[in-house]
Amino acid sequence: MLALLMPAVLALPGCQLAPVYAGGSSSAPATLLADITIAPIPERSGFMVRQALAEQFGLGATSPRYRLEVTLDDQITAFGVRGDSSAARERRTLRARYRLVDVATGAVLVDDTAAADAGIDRVSSNFAVVAAETTALERLSIDIARQISARLARYARASKG
């Protein structure tokens, strides 16, 4: 068994893998994320995504160098028809197009998208359906924020060299 693992162990130093946040709070991704202001995002889904991004970034810069602009597309699609012509399930899809802009120059540094979706069972209680849709939006907002944060961290790591 050890003989099988030895070639893999010897090959690891050559794979060029490095932790994105190597260097902790002074790493390129951590300093970039702390130096971003998030532009207002309209509607409830925008508020929730903005809050999730603020938690991911740990915002606190007094004069940020970058601005994150996010545009959301939040849709609920019903499918699975019952005998009474009502929907049996819904799919909530949240898509975000985001841009990281250098505040000083106006240059767009990152222009990308993120998407997440969740299935929702339709039940006889309207309250339960609304609660399920809200819970799905909370989860999707966190997922979108994590995707954006990870993409910006990769950008910071790549641009630092």
Side-chain angles (χ1 to χ4, degrees), residues 2-3 25 32 41 45 47 60 64 73 80 106 113 116 119 121:
L2 186 58
S25 62
L32 174 87
I41 310 169
S45 58
F47 172 79
D73 178 25
T113 59
D121 284 329

Side-chain angles (χ1 to χ4, degrees), residues 55-134:
E55 289 177 18
Q56 287 285 313
F57 294 177
L59 299 177
T62 54
S63 56
R65 293 178 46 203
Y66 308 101
R67 180 179 62 251
L68 183 66
E69 300 169 350
V70 181
T71 305
L72 294 176
D73 178 25
D74 182 15
Q75 293 188 3
I76 298 177
T77 306
F79 60 95
V81 181
R82 293 188 181 114
D84 64 352
S85 297
S86 64
R89 285 196 50 85
E90 293 179 342
R91 172 147 317 275
R92 186 165 203 159
T93 305
L94 187 60
R95 291 185 185 92
R97 175 157 188 230
Y98 58 94
R99 299 175 349 139
L100 182 66
V101 179
D102 186 317
V103 173
T105 65
V108 176
L109 305 173
V110 175
D111 188 350
D112 209 346
T113 59
D117 63 5
I120 303 166
D121 284 329
R122 297 276 311 189
V123 294
S124 59
S125 167
N126 286 336
F127 178 78
V129 172
V130 170
E133 289 173 352
T134 302

